[in-house]
Amino acid sequence: MAEHKKKARRQRRAIVYVDETGLSTRPTRTRTWSPVGQTPVLQETFNWKSLSVIGALALWRCLFQVHKGPIKSAQVVEFLKHLQRHIPGKLLIIWDGAPIHRSRLVAQYIAGTRGRVTVERLPAYAPELNPVEYLWGHLKCHEIANLIVRECWELSLEATAALRRMRRRPSIISACYSQATLWP
């Protein structure tokens, strides 16, 4: 990771970590509370509708987009354009080696930016190096844990509200970075 930071500093690029995650209408169950002597009960709908979220962390900034169904190459390109609108200057995108990141459409788009966007891959099987993974963990285990919804639009509404709350809390963003840097 140090070499990525040195390269970005030399080329005067903003470092942006990018990752995707999936959300489902089935709740992530975590510890909860209830009145003394009563077991808490979650009334699941047993739906398996899903959303995907693509997000980025760039030094105190959190950007994201929610999509119905899986994220494909076109959505990755759309998100890269979104990043370029919101983060000025040159970008160094650091992400994993997912097939959508290596697709022809994404490669053509990056080549078409004429050097404004460059890409570095994280090592294989090393999600702990990407601070966005910790953002997703906090979202699922704290912000929308035990959330019962029936439809995707409800899940999208709740997840978007939770992500907006999270990006207004610098302590969460800095905790994501500090967790990612604890690893050797």
Side-chain angles (χ1 to χ4, degrees):
M1 296 308 293
E3 68 185 58
H4 296 313
K5 290 178 185 177
K6 288 178 186 176
K7 178 180 178 181
R9 191 175 298 128
R10 245 189 347 264
Q11 297 177 358
R12 295 186 177 172
R13 294 182 180 277
I15 297 175
V16 182
Y17 292 91
V18 175
D19 194 34
E20 305 82 22
T21 192
L23 300 174
S24 170
T25 54
R26 295 193 63 194
T28 301
R29 289 175 279 138
T30 61
R31 178 177 255 175
T32 187
W33 64 274
S34 69
V36 175
Q38 295 180 12
T39 304
V41 177
L42 295 177
Q43 300 290 332
E44 283 192 46
T45 60
F46 295 103
N47 287 335
W48 195 259
K49 297 174 184 172
S50 65
L51 297 174
S52 296
V53 184
I54 184 169
L57 282 179
L59 196 59
W60 306 114
R61 298 187 81 177
C62 173
L63 300 160
F64 63 90
Q65 287 181 342
V66 179
H67 297 279
K68 189 169 182 164
I71 292 180
K72 298 192 168 92
S73 299
Q75 282 97 1
V76 173
V77 169
E78 177 188 334
F79 188 68
L80 291 174
K81 290 177 183 177
H82 178 72
L83 289 177
Q84 287 182 289
R85 280 192 304 272
H86 291 280
I87 302 173
K90 297 178 180 178
L91 304 178
L92 173 62
I93 304 292
I94 300 176
W95 56 22
D96 56 19
I100 57 172
H101 299 159
R102 295 178 281 132
S103 72
R104 185 177 299 134
L105 184 64
V106 172
Q108 287 173 347
Y109 176 75
I110 291 170
T113 63
R114 297 187 307 263
R116 180 159 182 234
V117 176
T118 59
V119 173
E120 292 290 334
R121 284 203 189 111
L122 290 168
Y125 304 106
E128 67 274 1
L129 296 176
N130 193 340
V132 185
E133 293 284 353
Y134 297 101
L135 188 75
W136 300 147
H138 183 80
L139 172 69
K140 292 177 182 180
C141 294
H142 297 282
E143 298 289 330
I144 61 170
N146 298 329
L147 175 69
I148 305 293
V149 294
R150 293 189 184 279
E151 300 296 328
C152 273
W153 67 267
E154 295 171 298
L155 178 61
S156 176
L157 197 69
E158 293 292 334
T160 301
L163 284 164
R164 286 181 179 156
R165 278 192 310 270
M166 289 168 58
R167 74 175 170 195
R168 286 192 305 265
R169 294 180 56 198
S171 60
I172 292 176
I173 304 300
S174 64
C176 293
Y177 278 110
S178 65
Q179 286 295 317
T181 58
L182 288 177
W183 297 92

